[in-house]
């Protein structure tokens, strides 16, 4: 990820209760100062802060100040509640403007960085970098590599393509190498592969196996040969999860079938897990889903909760991701409360959405915590998320969002005027 975006600004946040994302205890009455390059110069107790130097001042009024959050699994190119196969019917202008609106809603929810895992053209990433639109900093996989008839094959049985350009179908080791080169040509920051079938796909089951170990190894090798790109594996059933881990993927997406053996292997390989619990807690809707999709979700929701609770208990690196589009956009931080529901501490969930996520995206040197030398991506929230993590899930409580020192959202009360 090119972490630097178009604009930056000098900023000073005062009267903050600072949760810096490192796991350290909160600091009451803290100050955060960023220079005009948007880089944090100081984040700590007010007593040790440098004197004001004409920066824009935000009075947090004792509210909690956190690092800007990451959502490591979104589909910003897709509307919630609409089958991916319908996208091909949409007017391309309306489709693009809808994506622009979802970028805004995601940023307003406190997500200052996001990783799109299928369906988002690379131009949106560049548009955010250049300041043409406001949204989270982006990494995008652009398209999803999978087998014929597999999870990413959004086609009718007669072969008619409804994917709107999201599918990259490949069925042999040579074809997956070629597919990897095509998505890199399209501007992909990372590669997304299907190791298993899925919920929303009509022709397979979550336990079905998809790319073989040799094919996933070939994709990882092409990623390595092109600047060391990460490989994210859609992996739901246990057998496909094991295949993806043996091949050496960077992250297991969903991980619903993570049994003890899978946790052992993930512990050995160092793979991240992105559990996308929002799809289970908020993404099940009988009215809008095809029946096959609804039935699969019902069958898998209990399995998912049992296994992801195990992943959390085992202390594997968990990064926050929602699969937004399957569930609603713009309420990404509800995922924090689902992680807590399955056993994480509120502080642990905050770290999953900040520091650990920045490690998964390879940007932990610049983002993910509020420390001197990092970029000032900041969220200010009403309420105490360490007592009640659900406060962050309501975008109305996310009263201020900052990227690289630039205020993108500000619902804070106007500063009291001093009588002349
Ligand atoms: Zn997804």
């Amino acid at each position: 990820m090119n972490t630097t975006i178009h604009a930056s600004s000098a900023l000073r946040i005062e009267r903050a209760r600072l949760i810096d994302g490192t796991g350290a205890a909160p600091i009451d009455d803290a100050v955060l100062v960023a220079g005009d390059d948007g880089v944090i110069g100081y984040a700590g107790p007010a007593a040790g802060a440098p004197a004001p130097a004409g920066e824009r001042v935000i009075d947090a009024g004792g509210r909690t100040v956190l690092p800007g959050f990451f959502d490591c699994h979104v589909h910003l190119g897709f509307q919630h509640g609409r089958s991916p196969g319908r996208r091909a019917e949409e007017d391309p202008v309306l489709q693009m403007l809808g994506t622009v609106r979802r970028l805004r809603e995601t940023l307003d929810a406190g997500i200052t960085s996001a990783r799109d895992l299928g369906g988002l053209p690379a131009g949106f990433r560049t548009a955010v970098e250049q300041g043409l639109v406001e949204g989270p900093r982006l990494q995008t996989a652009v398209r999803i590599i999978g087998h014929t008839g597999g999870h990413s094959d959004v086609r009718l049985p007669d072969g008619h393509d409804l994917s709107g350009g999201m599918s990259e179908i490949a069925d042999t080791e040579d074809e997956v190498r070629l597919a990897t080169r095509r998505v890199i040509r399209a501007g992909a920051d990372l590669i997304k592969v299907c190791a298993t079938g899925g919920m929303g796909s009509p022709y397979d089951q979550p336990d079905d196996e998809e790319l073989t170990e040799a094919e996933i190894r070939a994709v990882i090798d092409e990623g390595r040969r092109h600047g060391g790109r990460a490989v994210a594996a859609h992996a739901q059933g246990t057998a496909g999860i094991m295949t993806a881990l043996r091949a050496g993927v960077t992250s297991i997406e969903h991980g619903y079938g993570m049994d003890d053996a899978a946790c052992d292997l993930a512990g050995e390989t160092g793979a991240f897990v992105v559990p996308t619990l929002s799809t289970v807690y908020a993404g099940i809707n009988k009215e809008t889903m095809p029946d096959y999709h609804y039935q699969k979700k019902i069958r898998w929701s209990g399995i998912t909760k049992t296994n992801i609770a195990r992943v959390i208990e085992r202390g594997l690196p968990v990064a926050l991701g929602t699969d937004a589009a399957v569930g609603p956009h713009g309420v990404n931080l509800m995922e924090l409360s689902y992680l807590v529901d399955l056993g994480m501490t509120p502080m642990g969930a905050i770290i999953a959405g900040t520091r650990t996520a920045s490690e998964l995206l390879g940007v932990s040197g610049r983002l993910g915590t509020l420390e001197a030398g990092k970029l000032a991506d900041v969220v200010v929230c009403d309420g105490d998320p360490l007592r009640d993590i659900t406060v962050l899930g309501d975008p109305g409580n996310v009263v201020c969002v900052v990227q690289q020192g630039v205020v993108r959202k500000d619902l804070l009360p106007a500063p009291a005027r001093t009588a002349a």
Side-chain angles (χ1 to χ4, degrees), residues 73-75 117 192 234 254 323 326:
H73 191 138
V74 292
H75 297 281
L117 290 188
K192 166 91 174 282
H234 164 97
H254 315 301
D323 216 356
V326 176

Side-chain angles (χ1 to χ4, degrees), residues 16-51:
R17 177 171 180 261
L18 178 68
I19 296 177
D20 66 9
T22 66
I27 300 171
D28 291 325
D29 195 19
V31 167
L32 182 144
V33 181
D36 56 13
D37 52 2
V39 176
I40 297 170
Y42 180 82

Side-chain angles (χ1 to χ4, degrees), residues 13 43 94 100 103 113 118 124 143 163 256 325 338 358 364 369 390:
I13 303 178
L94 298 181
V100 167
L103 286 167
S113 303
F124 287 100
R143 293 193 289 272
S163 75
Y256 304 149
Y338 309 142
S358 75
S364 58
T369 59
T390 66

